[in-house]
Amino acid sequence: MIDPSRVGRVDCHMHYMPTGFDNRRQASGGPGGRRMLGSPDSDGRPGWTDLAELRAVMDSAGVDLGVLLTFPHHATPFRRPDESIAQVISRYNQAMSADLEKLGQDRFVMMASVDPLSGPEGIERLRGDLALPHVRGIALLTNYGDVTLDDPRFAPIFELAGEHDVAVTVHPGSAWPSWRDGARLGESSFLMSGLGYFLADALCIFHMAHAG
């Protein structure tokens, strides 16, 4: 159990892929194949699958507690034929929690993932996942395609966060599909992330403020 009185510096933006989840390999990429995680930028980064590696970096930076953020796109590539999107995301949350329980050494907490567009099933799965060990909140993105956090579909998530008195983290999403081409952000990853993230953040904040 984490003692809050002994926590000084917190890193609120860490990523990790649980070892108990489907870390598949494909035939390309040399001997042993290339690890396939839920995101292409995670290939070849030891910290993505090694909590000891993350702790070493935390120790070198004087960080006491790491907050792991989770996203649907880290889970859905490994969806089984008999699973719904809500089910694979819940399985991902459970695998993450199990790793923190077994390997985390009380140095990490996590934000549970949810697909806001998965309807009532996603909300009910999230309700159960909020009771998992080391879960301290809900991870959201600024936008899911053109759907932003002021959409009514997010209201049950915010209400659930209030009921459980947990935090909601918001990570930049991809540039909105409706203006990606018009702003020419698709021409490079620099424009897509370097500018697209800032635009997504700003639009998310303004839309939420406008919606009250």
Side-chain angles (χ1 to χ4, degrees):
M1 185 69 177
I2 296 170
D3 180 1
S5 67
R6 303 184 67 177
V7 175
R9 183 175 293 177
V10 178
D11 186 336
C12 295
H13 186 163
M14 302 182 77
H15 300 302
Y16 171 74
M17 195 71 172
T19 56
F21 201 60
D22 289 328
N23 293 344
R24 301 175 184 172
R25 293 180 180 272
Q26 65 179 18
S28 63
R34 183 170 66 89
R35 179 179 291 114
M36 288 295 292
L37 302 180
S39 176
D41 68 358
S42 58
D43 282 348
R45 298 189 182 191
W48 272 88
T49 54
D50 188 345
L51 288 177
E53 180 83 12
L54 287 180
R55 282 197 304 271
V57 175
M58 291 164 63
D59 290 342
S60 69
V63 172
D64 303 300
L65 180 68
V67 180
L68 295 171
L69 305 183
T70 63
F71 307 111
H73 62 270
H74 290 167
T76 52
F78 309 113
R79 179 182 171 193
R80 297 167 180 165
D82 61 339
E83 281 184 315
S84 65
I85 289 177
Q87 285 174 324
V88 69
I89 291 174
S90 182
R91 180 164 61 85
Y92 167 72
N93 287 334
Q94 292 170 36
M96 183 82 76
S97 173
D99 265 18
L100 298 189
E101 184 77 355
K102 181 180 179 181
L103 307 169
Q105 299 184 5
D106 285 336
R107 296 289 300 279
F108 304 92
V109 294
M110 62 173 282
M111 300 290 144
S113 183
V114 62
D115 179 2
L117 310 183
S118 60
E121 182 190 4
I123 300 300
E124 286 310 305
R125 296 257 174 200
L126 175 61
R127 186 186 302 276
D129 291 344
L130 287 176
L132 292 169
H134 307 286
V135 173
R136 297 293 183 270
I138 302 168
L140 294 176
L141 296 166
T142 54
N143 59 296
Y144 297 77
D146 286 337
V147 180
T148 54
L149 299 189
D150 58 313
D151 189 278
R153 283 172 285 190
F154 288 90
I157 296 174
F158 296 135
E159 291 170 2
L160 194 59
E163 291 174 16
H164 289 258
D165 192 25
V166 296
V168 175
T169 59
V170 181
H171 187 285
S174 299
W176 294 9
S178 61
W179 47 261
R180 182 183 300 158
D181 294 335
R184 296 171 51 195
L185 299 182
E187 292 184 7
S188 71
S189 59
F190 170 75
L191 289 174
M192 184 65 73
S193 298
L195 178 58
Y197 272 12
F198 287 108
L199 292 174
D201 283 350
L203 285 167
C204 173
I205 293 168
F206 276 95
H207 274 272
M208 290 185 74
H210 183 258

